Amino acid sequence: MNLTEQYQDLLKSYTDSSSQAEKEAILARIDEFVETNKDEFPEVLLATIQALKPRVDTLRVREILEPIIPIINLAYIAENYFHKSRSYFSQRINGAIVNGQPATFKPEEIKLLAEALQDISKKIAAVNFDGIINH
């Protein structure tokens, strides 16, 4: 196991710990790890941050969509724009664990999602009741 994996395991242990005493013990191990690996730690930290980027992007997508999720039909978007199942789409919006990793949107899928929402927005804007209202 390389240093980055060791550090990420320590972070996961901290996150998974339930008691304050356990958290403090893991923090002490993290401090020891950093002290022991001073020269390599900047690279370890950078690799850890880069590994978290897809998860952060997924959280940002979820945050951006949060106000409209109750309004839009996710199954429609999944099927008609992504040609995928609702569960595939939902897993990526929610960062569900799939094959041991959080499911994330690829950059091209985020672009497709933006285009889909713009297309839906145009379709809604094109709805016109003038002929019915003015009778």
Side-chain angles (χ1 to χ4, degrees):
M1 184 180 304
N2 68 35
L3 290 177
T4 300
E5 292 168 337
Q6 290 175 29
Y7 182 66
Q8 289 174 352
D9 279 353
L10 284 169
L11 294 177
K12 183 168 179 2
S13 296
Y14 179 83
T15 303
D16 294 345
S17 63
S18 55
S19 73
Q20 188 60 32
E22 196 176 2
K23 287 184 182 298
E24 289 173 11
I26 294 167
L27 282 175
R29 289 175 47 208
I30 290 172
D31 287 344
E32 180 183 328
F33 176 89
V34 171
E35 186 64 31
T36 304
N37 301 289
K38 281 182 192 175
D39 294 337
E40 298 90 351
F41 189 69
E43 291 85 20
V44 168
L45 189 57
L46 181 60
T48 301
I49 291 168
Q50 288 171 334
L52 290 173
K53 186 179 180 329
R55 179 75 176 131
V56 170
D57 289 346
T58 296
L59 292 172
R60 288 181 46 218
V61 168
R62 173 72 188 192
E63 181 181 37
I64 291 166
L65 291 177
E66 194 71 38
I68 65 168
I69 286 176
I71 301 167
I72 61 176
N73 185 328
L74 297 179
Y76 177 86
I77 293 171
E79 293 167 9
N80 292 286
Y81 293 93
F82 284 78
H83 308 289
K84 302 283 186 180
S85 68
R86 179 190 171 113
S87 63
Y88 172 91
F89 195 72
S90 179
Q91 288 168 349
R92 274 134 194 87
I93 286 177
N94 296 310
I97 303 299
V98 177
N99 298 325
Q101 297 290 324
T104 60
F105 285 107
K106 296 174 189 160
E108 61 270 15
E109 289 177 320
I110 293 173
K111 184 177 179 192
L112 178 60
L113 176 57
E115 290 169 357
L117 292 172
Q118 286 296 317
D119 186 50
I120 292 167
S121 173
K122 288 176 188 172
K123 288 176 181 177
I124 292 171
V127 172
N128 187 338
F129 288 103
D130 287 346
I132 298 172
I133 295 172
N134 294 328
H135 268 91

